[in-house]
Amino acid sequence: NSSTPVYTGDFQLLVEPVTSEAKFSEPSTLTSPSRNGYFGSQEMDYSTIITILKSPGMLSSIVEQIRVEYPDFTQKQLRDNLRISRLNLDEFDLSNQTKIIEVSYQESDPDLVDLVLEKTAEKYLRYSLEDRKTQIGQGIEFIETQLPELSQKVEGLQIRLQNLREKNQFIDPELKGESLLKQVEKINIQQLE
């Protein structure tokens, strides 16, 4: 029984920051408020990400690259042999799911396996970069829309603080402290004299 060998290769993608601190520094935290109104507390939607990575638009772009060397390569061939899933440390315990997506491809031609994985990784990384640029752009846009309102609030609060000080004859504690220290020094010098 001489069966054709099947070759499998894979690569892994870290989809979100490993630590929560790193996650809060992501540009998407500025543009993704949660139900509570706090930024950056949303969970990553892995099923949506996987659906996007397996979408016809994404696959057709990869197929075009493969056809340069394999003219007969089809989108169906890629779709049928490409596996994309969230890496799970324990298949029986879903609480052990990681923040990593695993992409694998199997085919009877090992060179084709290598090429598909290389072009797929390139496409996914380009997509990730474009997505991040969009998030950064949205973050900057959000900040720019908030700045004028925040500046007005700060100015208003400073005016109110100044009016409050003048009305109640409050003195800046630091300046008052320095003045008192000078008086104490002066008294000490007078006593020494």
Side-chain angles (χ1 to χ4, degrees):
N1 185 14
S2 59
S3 60
T4 308
V6 175
Y7 299 90
T8 303
D10 62 64
F11 64 86
Q12 296 174 345
L13 296 168
L14 179 63
V15 176
E16 58 181 314
V18 177
T19 62
S20 57
E21 289 84 0
K23 189 170 184 177
F24 281 114
S25 69
E26 283 286 290
S28 59
T29 60
L30 290 171
T31 54
S32 305
S34 71
R35 283 186 224 95
N36 303 328
Y38 294 104
F39 292 104
S41 57
Q42 287 186 325
E43 282 297 310
M44 191 69 76
D45 183 357
Y46 283 86
S47 58
T48 300
I49 292 167
I50 290 168
T51 302
I52 290 168
L53 297 180
K54 292 170 89 169
S55 67
M58 192 74 76
L59 297 183
S60 66
S61 177
I62 297 164
V63 170
E64 283 176 27
Q65 297 284 313
I66 306 297
R67 281 187 177 157
V68 173
E69 293 183 43
Y70 290 83
D72 298 329
F73 192 73
T74 66
Q75 189 165 322
K76 183 182 185 309
Q77 192 176 349
L78 177 61
R79 190 178 61 247
D80 291 349
N81 296 326
L82 190 70
R83 300 278 174 271
I84 305 171
S85 58
R86 188 173 178 184
L87 186 63
N88 195 23
L89 298 176
D90 183 346
E91 60 181 311
F92 302 110
D93 182 5
L94 290 178
S95 66
N96 273 330
Q97 285 187 315
T98 67
K99 297 176 180 181
I100 295 168
I101 285 181
E102 188 168 57
V103 180
S104 66
Y105 185 79
Q106 66 176 29
E107 189 78 62
S108 56
D109 181 346
D111 294 330
L112 179 55
V113 170
D114 286 343
L115 184 63
V116 167
L117 290 173
E118 179 191 329
K119 298 303 178 186
T120 303
E122 282 176 11
K123 176 63 183 174
Y124 288 176
L125 289 172
R126 266 201 310 275
Y127 167 76
S128 175
L129 182 62
E130 286 162 12
D131 185 51
R132 183 157 300 203
K133 281 181 184 173
T134 302
Q135 288 177 357
I136 291 169
Q138 288 173 342
I140 291 168
E141 195 177 305
F142 173 80
I143 291 167
E144 286 174 346
T145 58
Q146 296 296 309
L147 276 176
E149 186 183 335
L150 292 172
S151 295
Q152 282 181 341
K153 280 183 181 177
V154 169
E155 284 174 27
L157 289 170
Q158 285 176 334
I159 291 167
R160 284 175 62 190
L161 181 61
Q162 184 64 35
N163 290 341
L164 190 66
R165 280 183 174 159
E166 288 172 6
K167 183 181 174 186
N168 297 291
Q169 296 181 334
F170 286 153
I171 300 168
D172 187 328
E174 285 184 23
L175 292 174
K176 183 65 176 172
E178 284 178 24
S179 172
L180 289 171
L181 278 173
K182 285 179 183 172
Q183 285 180 15
V184 169
E185 283 176 22
K186 192 175 180 182
I187 291 168
N188 285 339
I189 289 167
Q190 286 174 350
Q191 283 178 340
L192 285 169
E193 286 174 352

